[in-house]
Amino acid sequence: MTVEIQRRKDEHIRICLHEKVQASQIKNGLEKYEFVHCCLPELDYKEIDISTTFLGHKLKTPLLISSMTGGTENGELINKRLAITAQKYGLAMGIGSGRVIIEKPEIAHTFKVRPLAPDILLFANLGAVQLNYGYSWRECLSLVEILEADALILHLNPLQECIQQEGDTNFKHLLPKIGRVCEKLPIPVIVKEVGNGISVEMAEKLLGVGVAAIDVAGAGGTSWAMVESKRATNPLQKALGETFANWGIPTADCVAAIASKYPDIPLIASGGIRNGLEAAKLLALGADLVGFAYPFLKAAMTSMEALEGLVELLLAEIKTVLFCTGNKDISSLQNSSSLRLVSSPTSQG
Ligand SMILES: Cc1cc2nc3c(=O)[nH]c(=O)nc-3n(C[C@H](O)[C@H](O)[C@H](O)COP(=O)(O)O)c2cc1C
């Protein structure tokens, strides 16, 4: 089984990089918003401050490298490059699902980035559905301890599991089990999706059992229905994945709904975010951190220089938004009316 999980992880990387698995019809929802330009910011660009605080940790930037990989040689190289970059620029980082660490502890080194990134906000990751397949809070705790993580992400991926031939599809009674993990772990538990979004109703249920933060991981970017469709050898699973390629709640819709109902919960926006202008829109909508998976995967597979170039561009884009909307820092942006909904071409017509 563990060899199978490791092979799957390498296939995911190859497919994400080389096959058409980015959402094509469904968008991240940010096209519905635009910033109001400020012609006289009354600010010195050099003093723009993009630092923030998340789950009690101070961060130099509001950016997160979303959970991706580990378990193989390729995964180890990617994790190392990402961790060095996160440490250098003060990004938060998630590591890929650690199920394989529990099942094969000798490969834990491919996930262990703490020595390279002693100061970052680091998230361990596990599929919540594993709580129905023999896992309990004890495995969650040992994962967090092995990785020296600051928080645990439990991911929810029902659509992906449906498309996987070997998918774990028993999601019954998971909510109280997630609650039990929240209760027993000495660190915060975050719940994320993997690209299909979290509705405000589901966020309410998750917060109700003690989840400390939500990462919406909405639709508009990497489609896990398509990734699993590309992996499938069985024609039914292949076709099923294609049917659901554009399934999910756009990222901006999740963030707008959750942030307006729960303005004070720590909220991560991710799923199909491809530049700092989009990240800034999500911060203005009420997100505290913005996560990116595919852009960091692509850069990490290229070089350290590509990764640094990506981060520097993202930071410059966010600072430029702050400057050109007259906001000196993120909380000023979040409390401003700098972002507005634009009417769609159909409603204008
Ligand atoms: C190669 C790859 C592996 C991933 N593995 C995981 C994982 O182990 N756990 C998880 O929660 N999400 C995983 N994801 C999902 C991402 O964290 C993210 O939610 C999703 O890709 C949407 O973000 P994006 O559009 O920026 O890629 C993975 C993504 C990629 C690209």
Side-chain angles (χ1 to χ4, degrees):
M1 189 59 186
T2 44
V3 173
E4 170 53 34
I5 300 174
Q6 286 173 283
R7 185 169 43 235
R8 196 194 301 164
K9 283 181 182 278
D10 267 348
E11 277 179 25
H12 284 159
I13 293 172
R14 180 190 60 74
I15 292 169
C16 285
L17 287 172
H18 302 296
E19 307 247 15
K20 280 200 164 152
V21 295
Q22 293 299 307
S24 51
Q25 288 163 32
I26 192 163
K27 296 197 165 75
N28 61 23
L30 290 166
E31 68 288 351
K32 292 181 281 196
Y33 296 89
E34 67 183 24
F35 282 109
V36 180
H37 177 65
C38 170
C39 66
L40 183 54
E42 294 281 5
L43 294 170
D44 181 347
Y45 182 92
K46 289 198 297 292
E47 292 170 6
I48 298 275
D49 178 8
I50 58 163
S51 67
T52 191
T53 302
F54 192 76
L55 295 172
H57 292 253
K58 279 198 177 312
L59 294 169
K60 282 191 219 154
T61 77
L63 302 181
L64 164 71
I65 301 172
S66 295
S67 307
M68 283 188 275
T69 198
T72 65
E73 229 174 276
N74 226 356
E76 181 174 14
L77 174 72
I78 293 169
N79 277 339
K80 283 191 168 154
R81 287 182 173 174
L82 292 175
I84 293 168
T85 309
Q87 174 72 18
K88 176 166 178 185
Y89 292 95
L91 277 56
M93 177 178 169
I95 312 175
S97 172
R99 181 176 159 198
V100 70
I101 302 179
I102 301 296
E103 292 174 21
K104 198 174 177 185
E106 64 272 24
I107 53 83
H109 64 277
T110 62
F111 290 83
K112 279 188 178 183
V113 298
R114 189 49 103 191
L116 293 169
D119 304 313
I120 68 169
L121 176 58
L122 184 65
F123 303 146
N125 182 294
L126 193 68
V129 75
Q130 294 314 314
L131 300 172
N132 270 353
Y133 289 84
Y135 280 57
S136 72
W137 63 269
R138 288 184 183 80
E139 283 75 22
C140 294
L141 182 60
S142 65
L143 186 62
V144 164
E145 287 173 351
I146 292 167
L147 298 176
E148 299 174 64
D150 300 298
L152 171 70
I153 295 178
L154 291 174
H155 69 258
L156 293 169
N157 60 341
L159 178 61
Q160 182 185 11
E161 298 288 352
C162 285
I163 316 295
Q164 261 182 33
Q165 275 164 234
E166 65 278 24
D168 293 327
T169 47
N170 178 12
F171 274 64
K172 255 180 153 176
H173 308 309
L174 270 186
L175 193 62
K177 293 183 183 175
I178 293 173
R180 181 90 176 129
V181 177
C182 297
E183 195 186 299
K184 298 297 283 185
L185 257 53
I187 51 152
V189 175
I190 303 168
V191 170
K192 82 184 271 285
E193 237 282 347
V194 299
N196 302 112
I198 296 183
S199 65
V200 70
E201 292 80 10
M202 287 299 124
E204 182 169 11
K205 288 190 177 178
L206 291 162
L207 295 168
V209 297
V211 167
I214 301 280
D215 177 348
V216 303
T222 308
S223 160
W224 282 87
M226 279 309 291
V227 174
E228 296 302 343
S229 167
K230 298 285 182 193
R231 280 186 65 234
T233 47
N234 162 334
L236 184 146
Q237 302 295 129
K238 230 179 213 331
L240 189 63
E242 285 169 8
T243 306
F244 288 87
N246 295 292
W247 177 272
I249 314 169
T251 298
D253 297 1
C254 299
V255 170
I258 297 175
S260 70
K261 183 148 187 198
Y262 299 105
D264 298 327
I265 65 137
L267 183 61
I268 305 174
S270 73
I273 313 311
R274 298 295 175 254
N275 59 54
L277 171 52
E278 290 187 328
K281 287 183 181 180
L282 290 159
L283 295 169
L285 282 175
D288 300 297
L289 281 189
V290 182
F292 303 74
Y294 173 70
F296 275 96
L297 176 67
K298 204 166 141 205
M301 287 300 278
T302 308
S303 63
M304 282 304 295
E305 291 70 32
L307 268 176
E308 293 186 359
L310 170 64
V311 177
E312 282 175 20
L313 179 58
L314 292 173
L315 299 183
E317 287 166 339
I318 294 173
K319 283 186 186 170
T320 302
V321 169
L322 288 176
F323 189 61
C324 292
T325 55
N327 290 295
K328 66 178 184 349
D329 57 26
I330 289 166
S331 86
S332 152
L333 178 72
Q334 287 169 330
N335 293 304
S336 72
S337 48
S338 303
L339 190 70
R340 65 180 185 105
L341 256 177
V342 284
S343 17
S344 66
T346 43
S347 64
Q348 277 170 348

